[in-house]
Structures are given as C-alpha cells and as structure tokens.
Amino acid sequence: ESLLGIVNDILDFSKIEAGKLAMETIDFHLEDVLDHLANVVGLKAADKGLELLQRCLAIRRATLGEDHTNTAATYDCIGTAYAQKGEYDKALEYYGMSLKIYLATVGDNHPSTATTYGNIGLVYNSKGEYMDPFSTENKQVELIHSKDSWFK
C-alpha cells in the first residue's frame, strides 16, 4: 500500500511537470474528511502512547519497585489506554494490578483506590456486564462516603 502511494505520487509529479495534470471538482464534507484523518492519526497516536506507557512502567518497576503507588498509577493509565481502545480484558488486567498495589500500600480508603474501583466498573459497563459494575461502583461510593474518607 505504501509503495503504491509512492508510485502514484511520482506519477502525479510527472503529470505536473508535463503540464498534463487535470483538476476536477468533487463535492465533499470537510467534517467527514477531518473525522477520518483524526481516526487514522488517533489510532497511531494511541499505539505510540501505549508504547510510551509500557516503557514508563518498565522504568518505574525497575527504579521504584512493583509495590509503589507511582507504579500503580502507571498500571491505571495503561488500563485506561486499553479501555479506550476497546480492549476491555487487557484494561481489567492492568486495573487489577493497580488495585492490588493501592490496597497493599494506601489501603481501601484512599482516592486512588476509589478511582480504580470506578475505572473497573466503567469497563464492566462498557463490556455489557451490567451486574459486575455495581459491586465496584458501590465500593467506590462506600469509600467516598465512609467516615474516614479522604474526600471529606
């Protein structure tokens, strides 16, 4: 496909140089063209972003350790990236690792823990597994409204 594009570009330049390039008017919707462009560029950017997050995770695991809250935050970011791509099982895997670290380091009564519970609920909701989000969403609400909550 890339090679075909290069050949077509060379042919177009040859037509321009020979003065034989014919221009035609075609109706189009600019919004559709920009949407398509954003989708193409967005997918590549999302893949690059995920690649950068994976590198960041490797660095944090090597320097801070597996049980550090910054490592958990990176797991959370990777989970979000997978969720946005529609790869829900991968998202749940990374959110689960994040939650495990948060529960072990800052406990279940911390905003980061509540946020991760909420993220897990959103993924279950996106998967169409509507009963599973209630347990995580209820846990998030319980944490927010508990007497020792960080949110008060």
Side-chain angles (χ1 to χ4, degrees):
E1 193 173 297
S2 296
L3 182 58
L4 182 60
I6 292 170
V7 170
N8 283 334
D9 288 345
I10 291 170
L11 291 173
D12 288 343
F13 285 122
S14 297
K15 287 180 185 177
I16 292 170
E17 288 175 351
K20 298 194 180 207
L21 182 66
M23 300 292 282
E24 62 181 298
T25 303
I26 298 173
D27 288 335
F28 68 94
H29 293 96
L30 182 59
E31 186 175 325
D32 293 340
V33 173
L34 294 176
D35 272 348
H36 180 71
L37 178 64
N39 287 335
V40 170
V41 172
L43 290 174
K44 289 182 181 182
D47 288 341
K48 286 291 184 189
L50 194 52
E51 182 182 320
L52 291 174
L53 285 170
Q54 293 286 4
R55 287 182 184 176
C56 182
L57 177 62
I59 292 168
R60 286 190 173 175
R61 289 174 70 190
T63 57
L64 301 173
E66 182 65 30
D67 60 346
H68 196 278
T69 55
N70 285 340
T71 304
T74 306
Y75 277 125
D76 221 36
C77 289
I78 294 171
T80 300
Y82 277 118
Q84 289 173 345
K85 290 177 65 170
E87 295 183 34
Y88 301 124
D89 291 333
K90 280 287 222 186
L92 289 172
E93 178 184 332
Y94 281 93
Y95 285 142
M97 289 185 267
S98 174
L99 184 61
K100 180 181 173 185
I101 295 167
Y102 283 138
L103 289 172
T105 56
V106 296
D108 68 347
N109 192 21
H110 190 273
S112 298
T113 307
T115 299
T116 303
Y117 274 120
N119 289 340
I120 291 169
L122 290 172
V123 170
Y124 278 121
N125 189 45
S126 296
K127 286 179 69 168
E129 298 175 13
Y130 300 111
M131 293 311 291
D132 292 332
F134 291 115
S135 62
T136 56
E137 291 293 336
N138 287 341
K139 183 65 176 173
Q140 183 183 29
V141 170
E142 175 187 317
L143 292 173
I144 291 170
H145 294 291
S146 71
K147 66 180 175 76
D148 300 322
S149 178
W150 286 59
F151 295 100
K152 290 183 179 180

